[in-house]
Amino acid sequence: MFGRRKNKEPESKKIGMISLGCPKNQVDAELMLEKLAEAGYEIRDDVAGCDAVLVNTCGFIEAAKKEAIENILDVAGYKEDGEVGKLVVTGCLSERYQRQIMDEMPEVDAVVGLGGDADIVSVMERVFQGEKVLEFPDKEELPLEGDRILTTPNYYAYVKIGEGCSNNCAFCAIPEIRGRFRSRPMESIIGEVRALVKKGVKEVILIAQDTSLYGKDLYGKLKLPELLRELCKVEGLHWIRFLYCYPERITDELLEVMATEPKVCHYFDIPLQHADGACLKRMNRVGDREHFEALIAKIRERIPDCCIRTTVMTGFPGETEEEFESLAEFVKAMRFDNLGCFAFSPEEGTLAAEMPDQVDDDVKQHRQELIMELQHDIAEQKNQECIGRQLEVIVDGYNKYGDVFVGRSYRSVPVIDGSVLFTSENHVTIGDFVKVDIFGAEEYDLKGESFE
């Protein structure tokens, strides 16, 4: 996956990385890998035998923290067995818990906060000299741009257009971990996309904690629509997506861009979190069921084939049975193409963690399961509705066991959503775009055949 060597000397040290969590964290990892490669380190995609391993952690919710700690301890085990040299921890968990990580896991050689990513080469030099490193500069020193080693396939890439969050939802620790929302200059983003396309990237996925807020801090107005129009001018770029779009900032201008620019995928990722107005108010979120239903109707009227994904939460403090039923009825009525549901996780330092009327773990988990069961049937029906359509599909791979190619239409984001499984009588290359006639549907995947 990485396998890149730059300025390699015979004695160059081998660096491996495990990056966890969201695509935003993945971009941070890619920027660090490039810096290390430029400094002469050999980047490996297998941690075994590495002189140092970086674990780039997520620390957003309890499950992510557990996964991060498990990975750190796994690498610590390799280190104890002599299969790994040094162990460096970066990312959100490092920023959130800082010195506590090394205090509780002395096997760790360095703990680096988000702002320290820019100086990762210096950190590694100090670690290899035997120093125990604790590095926590201002989190807003985290690099938002620069050359990077892609850890995605070479035909698509995530592009970070902003960092941090200013929404201050009651349940979320992101503002504390990553700081206030700050946009990248538009020229920087366009320049990066042009450079990526020259390297073979055909699909870019714009990411931030709130992409719909892009530009407000730099330009005094929401600039995502303008950014999309400018990116559509980049020759050789085929698809553009954007994720994490807040409902209150889905403007008529944004819908117009999606409806009229063929490179912009008709895919909306809108984290609604709930539908009951009282519950949303406790979450410090804007909107209610009536507002959301009107918004979704408006989107579907303007872009009839639009695929809408959302995330919702069960068991937020004070969620009554009536509020949960309102959420379930909303999910059933809206028939989202894709939906993820999570049980509330009380995160220290957030308002929600200290709220009264905490919902029993079993109750919120049961409610989460009920929503996902409901969505399972909806997703299956939505896939059935695709039968008979011809979809443009980007080829992600080949499944030798099923003897089918695996790809994605505009309806699917990598890793998160379902696939299109198809056969072809002609030569197909990974990264190609092909037309696929859909003749069948499974639980989350579509089946088809290409005659191109």
Side-chain angles (χ1 to χ4, degrees):
M1 184 165 55
F2 313 139
R4 179 172 176 183
R5 305 182 184 195
K6 298 189 70 173
N7 306 325
K8 182 182 180 301
E9 301 295 334
E11 69 277 8
S12 66
K13 294 187 181 296
K14 302 176 181 65
I15 304 290
M17 178 178 282
I18 299 169
S19 190
L20 307 170
C22 68
K24 297 179 287 294
N25 211 39
Q26 185 175 349
V27 171
D28 296 343
E30 293 172 346
L31 288 164
M32 286 190 284
L33 288 172
E34 175 65 27
K35 287 182 171 63
L36 292 166
E38 287 288 351
Y41 292 104
E42 179 181 342
I43 307 302
R44 302 289 297 273
D45 59 356
D46 184 359
V47 300
C50 284
D51 298 292
V53 173
L54 284 74
V55 182
N56 192 42
T57 60
C58 178
F60 176 43
I61 58 175
E62 190 63 29
K65 288 186 284 186
K66 287 180 179 178
E67 182 186 26
I69 292 168
E70 287 169 1
N71 275 271
I72 294 168
L73 294 177
D74 284 346
V75 177
Y78 295 145
K79 181 181 176 184
E80 185 178 351
D81 294 340
E83 296 182 50
V84 163
K86 303 293 186 178
L87 170 54
V88 176
V89 181
T90 62
C92 288
L93 196 77
S94 294
E95 181 66 39
R96 193 169 188 186
Y97 295 103
Q98 301 194 355
R99 298 172 185 271
Q100 185 179 341
I101 294 174
M102 196 175 288
D103 289 342
E104 297 186 8
M105 292 179 280
E107 306 92 338
V108 173
D109 296 289
V111 182
V112 183
L114 294 170
D117 287 7
D119 297 318
I120 194 64
V121 173
S122 171
V123 169
M124 295 309 303
E125 289 172 353
R126 292 160 62 192
V127 165
F128 283 128
Q129 290 169 3
E131 185 179 343
K132 288 275 191 176
V133 179
L134 293 166
E135 191 80 15
F136 308 109
D138 189 323
K139 65 191 71 179
E140 295 194 7
E141 292 182 24
L142 173 72
L144 299 187
E145 57 190 62
D147 293 335
R148 53 194 171 106
I149 295 178
L150 292 183
T151 57
T152 55
N154 61 7
Y155 53 88
Y156 77 82
Y158 295 100
V159 174
K160 190 187 286 191
I161 67 172
E163 179 55 82
C165 188
S166 301
N167 290 319
N168 296 312
C169 301
F171 54 81
C172 185
I174 291 297
E176 176 192 353
I177 298 171
R178 288 190 170 258
R180 62 179 176 81
F181 183 84
R182 49 207 185 276
S183 304
R184 278 178 68 183
M186 192 176 297
E187 300 76 19
S188 168
I189 298 167
I190 296 168
E192 179 180 7
V193 170
R194 285 179 178 149
L196 288 168
V197 170
K198 286 181 180 178
K199 294 178 181 179
V201 168
K202 301 175 184 178
E203 175 187 12
V204 295
I205 306 168
L206 307 181
I207 53 173
Q209 198 62 37
D210 179 358
T211 56
S212 51
L213 191 57
Y214 173 73
K216 183 71 173 177
D217 55 321
L218 285 182
Y219 307 110
K221 62 178 291 189
L222 302 177
K223 284 280 193 173
L224 180 59
E226 182 179 335
L227 175 62
L228 291 170
R229 287 202 188 278
E230 290 301 314
L231 291 178
C232 286
K233 298 174 185 177
V234 177
E235 292 186 14
L237 181 60
H238 197 83
W239 274 357
I240 304 168
R241 301 179 187 271
F242 55 97
L243 305 184
Y244 318 117
C245 194
Y246 278 60
E248 61 267 32
R249 285 184 279 275
I250 297 177
T251 62
D252 290 342
E253 185 184 8
L254 181 58
L255 291 178
E256 181 65 15
V257 171
M258 290 190 72
T260 58
E261 291 286 358
K263 290 185 180 182
V264 180
C265 291
H266 291 177
Y267 183 102
F268 258 120
D269 177 26
I270 313 172
L272 297 176
Q273 305 303 351
H274 214 279
D276 184 86
C279 190
L280 285 161
K281 188 173 183 179
R282 292 197 302 275
M283 290 179 173
N284 197 29
R285 302 275 298 193
V286 175
D288 55 28
R289 179 174 174 178
E290 182 180 4
H291 172 77
F292 293 162
E293 288 180 346
L295 173 64
I296 292 161
K298 183 177 183 179
I299 293 171
R300 287 173 171 162
E301 180 181 3
R302 187 68 184 91
I303 311 167
D305 67 341
C306 189
C307 177
I308 302 178
R309 176 183 179 84
T310 192
T311 52
V312 297
M313 180 186 300
T314 59
F316 188 80
E319 183 187 54
T320 64
E321 190 64 36
E322 291 74 20
E323 289 175 347
F324 170 70
E325 287 296 333
S326 177
L327 173 62
E329 290 167 5
F330 173 74
V331 169
K332 186 175 181 180
M334 291 298 94
R335 300 181 72 245
F336 293 102
D337 300 87
N338 300 298
L339 179 144
C341 181
F342 304 91
F344 168 71
S345 172
E347 295 302 311
E348 64 265 42
T350 64
L351 290 173
E354 304 301 323
M355 285 182 174
D357 302 321
Q358 295 285 327
V359 178
D360 181 79
D361 285 346
D362 289 341
V363 171
K364 59 188 177 186
Q365 187 64 40
H366 179 60
R367 290 175 178 175
Q368 185 261 350
E369 291 168 359
L370 290 175
I371 293 292
M372 289 311 298
E373 286 174 9
L374 181 61
Q375 178 60 26
H376 175 275
D377 294 338
I378 295 169
E380 200 164 25
Q381 293 164 14
K382 284 284 187 176
N383 273 352
Q384 291 289 335
E385 292 170 9
C386 290
I387 294 175
R389 293 180 62 183
Q390 184 181 77
L391 298 175
E392 186 177 42
V393 170
I394 190 168
V395 183
D396 285 323
Y398 178 75
N399 184 329
K400 64 180 180 180
Y401 301 105
D403 194 24
V404 291
F405 292 98
V406 181
R408 291 176 290 108
S409 73
Y410 76 93
R411 298 173 55 80
S412 296
V413 168
V415 180
I416 298 173
D417 300 320
S419 300
V420 178
L421 312 176
F422 68 97
T423 59
S424 176
E425 297 178 353
N426 301 311
H427 178 73
V428 175
T429 302
I430 292 175
D432 281 352
F433 283 90
V434 298
K435 298 290 179 60
V436 176
D437 295 325
I438 305 301
F439 63 74
E442 295 182 342
E443 194 172 12
Y444 291 108
D445 299 328
L446 299 174
K447 292 181 176 181
E449 52 190 346
S450 174
F451 296 101
E452 291 190 339

